[in-house]
Amino acid sequence: MFELMVSTVFEKQDYISDLFKKLGSEIKKDGGIAAMQNHSGRSSFALAVPSRKKEYYKSKILEHIIFMIIDDYKFNYFKESIAVYDNEVIFESFLKAISIFDAEADKEYIKNQIELKGEILVDSFYFFKLMPLRSKWKRTADIINQNQILKSKSSMLEVLKYLTAMSENFSMETNIVLSKKQIKLTSLSKCKRFKRNFSGISLFMTEMIKLNPVKINLKQDAEEKFDSDEVADMLSKIFDDKIYLTN
């Protein structure tokens, strides 16, 4: 049997919970054991699988850890390192875009540093093994902090447009319905379909940056208007000709 444990601080337990949801049932079908535990300020996921499935589950665990580091640690590193811009929606979207822009290089570096055996303490791994990676991120943050022009609304939107154009598309098509106090999003990616509802623009825009759809179908509920002007304006300036208005 191949055994492995992944743990992190309790505040980031959602990532451990997601890992358990993704792999728990599959591991049991393969004749293994999976468990999640929150104890002493930490959240952990443990698995034991037949040796024949070792490499498969190692790749799944690695993929999830890399996602966690880029989606959470890298994003928050930039959030703490870059001087706050007064438009929260654009600023958060900007942070998400620069977090995923060069993610492939980050992934390769993380793969070369991590050793998938025993217990992996994600937070310790991040702080001690990924110092050179944080130094690279610091250079990016310093450039942005020193360039006041980048912090204007129009410039940030232009940078967002460029970054999304140069980044990978994680969604083939996304349907958006703007209704009263809510944004409904349905996305079809290369391998799955999911739905999410948003009550605020900030989380919605960061999700759109992360998905970076190939095509966006946008619909406005005529009877239950959301703050559609701001949403439509930002989408059009960032995603440009990817947007299609529907009835």
Side-chain angles (χ1 to χ4, degrees):
M1 296 284 281
F2 170 68
E3 299 179 9
L4 185 67
M5 179 181 288
V6 179
S7 73
T8 188
V9 291
F10 182 74
E11 290 78 7
K12 301 184 189 298
Q13 65 170 315
D14 286 349
Y15 290 94
I16 298 297
S17 178
D18 286 345
L19 185 58
F20 181 69
K21 289 175 184 176
K22 287 178 182 177
L23 298 182
S25 298
E26 189 176 4
I27 288 171
K28 290 178 183 177
K29 287 179 183 178
D30 284 330
I33 301 169
M36 177 184 167
Q37 182 181 38
N38 294 323
H39 181 67
S40 300
R42 297 192 67 79
S43 183
S44 61
F45 170 78
L47 63 85
V49 295
S51 297
R52 61 185 172 81
K53 301 294 292 186
K54 173 182 175 179
E55 294 305 319
Y56 172 78
Y57 284 106
K58 280 178 67 175
S59 68
K60 290 292 184 181
I61 295 290
L62 176 61
E63 181 182 292
H64 193 79
I65 291 173
I66 290 173
F67 169 75
M68 179 180 175
I69 290 171
I70 292 172
D71 188 64
D72 185 281
Y73 285 94
K74 186 179 182 183
F75 176 83
N76 283 299
Y77 179 89
F78 282 131
K79 193 170 185 177
E80 293 167 4
S81 303
I82 296 173
V84 178
Y85 173 64
D86 60 4
N87 188 308
E88 181 183 355
V89 175
I90 296 177
F91 183 64
E92 297 260 328
S93 302
F94 179 77
L95 293 177
K96 179 60 67 177
I98 61 174
S99 295
I100 63 179
F101 176 63
D102 62 345
E104 288 305 315
D106 292 343
K107 289 177 185 178
E108 286 304 312
Y109 184 84
I110 295 168
K111 284 179 184 178
N112 291 329
Q113 295 299 315
I114 198 165
E115 192 172 4
L116 294 173
K117 68 177 185 179
E119 180 178 5
I120 302 168
L121 288 78
V122 180
D123 45 327
S124 296
F125 170 72
Y126 169 77
F127 285 111
F128 293 104
K129 296 287 285 185
L130 300 184
M131 287 179 65
L133 199 56
R134 294 201 304 279
S135 295
K136 186 186 77 169
W137 300 343
K138 183 179 184 302
R139 290 193 292 273
T140 300
D142 288 345
I143 290 170
I144 296 169
N145 283 327
Q146 292 164 13
N147 193 334
Q148 292 301 314
I149 296 175
L150 280 176
K151 295 183 183 179
S152 69
K153 179 179 179 179
S154 59
S155 294
M156 275 198 168
L157 287 171
E158 282 298 317
V159 173
L160 277 168
K161 181 178 179 180
Y162 169 76
L163 292 177
T164 53
M166 298 298 292
S167 297
E168 181 181 354
N169 300 105
F170 289 96
S171 172
M172 301 304 293
E173 187 170 349
T174 295
N175 297 314
I176 300 166
V177 179
L178 304 178
S179 60
K180 189 176 182 179
K181 296 182 179 179
Q182 192 173 69
I183 305 173
K184 299 177 182 179
L185 181 152
T186 304
S187 182
L188 177 63
S189 70
K190 297 172 184 176
C191 56
K192 65 180 179 179
R193 180 186 183 92
F194 72 92
K195 295 182 179 180
R196 284 192 67 183
N197 294 335
F198 301 86
S199 57
I201 301 174
S202 184
L203 286 176
F204 164 72
M205 286 305 303
T206 56
E207 184 67 24
M208 286 298 293
I209 295 297
K210 185 165 67 176
L211 291 171
N212 192 19
V214 173
K215 180 181 179 182
I216 300 170
N217 298 314
L218 180 62
K219 180 180 179 180
Q220 168 72 63
D221 189 320
E223 296 181 359
E224 296 188 344
K225 276 205 166 187
F226 191 83
D227 188 4
S228 59
D229 289 344
E230 183 176 3
V231 174
D233 181 60
M234 287 186 64
L235 288 173
S236 65
K237 287 180 177 175
I238 296 171
F239 296 102
D240 199 16
D241 57 356
K242 295 180 179 180
I243 299 175
Y244 296 82
L245 299 178
T246 59
N247 297 322

